Amino acid sequence: MSIVVGADQGGAGGGAVPPGEVDIMRPSDIDSISRVRSEAFAEKACWALGETKQDAERDNKKAYTTKCPPTKMAHCGVVRDEQGRCLAGCQLQMGDDPGDGIMPDWMQHHVKPGECYVEWIGTLDEARGRGMGSKLMKWADETARKNGCSRMTLDVMGSNRAVALYERQGYEAMPYSHSGCCMNSCLCCIVYCFMGCHYCKVIHMEKKL
């Protein structure tokens, strides 16, 4: 599956990216991509922070406006409809990119050399079942390779049905070392409390490029 990139984003597509294909996020996408993320993760945000969808959307807009430099925005892939509205998105973190702006500092991921971290990937409910998640995962791999990364990583809640999607894309759950087991046990307790006593297991997944 080819990933089309518009000429205005430095790609070789020679024109605008057609609806339904992956493009690079633009500043004009902030409102609609914030809606994508807030809707895709609304259940977790409500449990974790007592937020409404509107609160989460506001926080995402603020994070992209004040904490996301253009270099990191260029590492966000989006899929738009015919009206230019984002239906799905995938934010990557690599190189010198800052962590997730809506997360507290102690929960932000710090990438290692050669690592591309999938910060989040989500789709609007109305756009599910149309293969956008798979397209974005393939775009993420290609983008990581172009930026010199040798492996992909992500963290996902153990009960999330997206685990199966990641496994189909070649990701594997990574075992914890003996010292890591203690840290993971503490993390599970924190996540359980932070996520409103609904989630407790976090799975770290990786795949080589």
Side-chain angles (χ1 to χ4, degrees):
M1 182 183 299
S2 62
I3 306 298
V4 183
V5 179
D8 60 335
Q9 299 297 335
V17 174
E21 299 298 332
V22 180
D23 193 9
I24 305 302
M25 178 182 172
R26 299 189 289 259
S28 57
D29 293 317
I30 288 178
D31 284 354
S32 60
I33 199 64
S34 296
R35 177 174 175 246
V36 170
R37 187 178 185 184
S38 61
E39 182 174 307
F41 296 91
E43 188 177 63
K44 298 180 181 66
C46 290
W47 283 337
L49 303 172
E51 287 190 326
T52 64
K53 288 184 180 180
Q54 291 74 23
D55 292 334
E57 188 171 341
R58 178 204 63 215
D59 291 345
N60 277 283
K61 288 180 182 179
K62 182 178 180 181
Y64 269 114
T65 303
T66 64
K67 300 180 181 180
C68 185
T71 49
K72 184 173 182 180
M73 194 175 294
H75 298 154
C76 182
V78 301
V79 179
R80 305 185 189 89
D81 63 10
E82 290 78 3
Q83 289 73 45
R85 180 179 59 117
C86 293
L87 299 174
C90 176
Q91 178 67 65
L92 304 178
Q93 180 187 356
M94 65 184 95
D96 295 327
D97 288 344
D100 189 344
I102 69 168
M103 302 296 287
D105 291 345
W106 62 272
M107 289 189 71
Q108 292 184 8
H109 186 80
H110 300 281
V111 292
K112 299 178 176 63
E115 176 188 8
C116 177
Y117 180 69
V118 181
E119 198 167 273
W120 69 268
I121 180 170
T123 305
L124 290 179
D125 289 343
E126 66 191 74
R128 292 187 184 278
R130 291 158 60 178
M132 294 183 186
S134 295
K135 284 186 178 182
L136 285 164
M137 295 298 286
K138 292 179 184 298
W139 166 85
D141 289 353
E142 293 183 10
T143 301
R145 289 191 186 97
K146 289 177 182 177
N147 283 272
C149 296
S150 58
R151 70 186 186 282
M152 305 291 298
T153 66
L154 58 84
D155 293 302
V156 60
M157 298 297 175
S159 58
N160 193 325
R161 60 186 178 183
V163 172
L165 167 64
Y166 302 144
E167 290 176 337
R168 289 195 299 271
Q169 295 292 329
Y171 284 83
E172 296 181 355
M174 303 303 294
Y176 289 94
S177 63
H178 179 70
S179 59
C181 286
C182 295
M183 183 177 295
N184 186 53
S185 297
C186 294
L187 178 60
C188 287
C189 292
I190 293 171
V191 169
Y192 183 71
C193 296
F194 189 72
M195 299 302 290
C197 303
H198 286 87
Y199 297 94
C200 65
K201 185 179 181 181
V202 178
I203 300 175
H204 182 70
M205 305 186 79
E206 295 189 8
K207 83 168 183 177
K208 294 181 180 179
L209 295 174

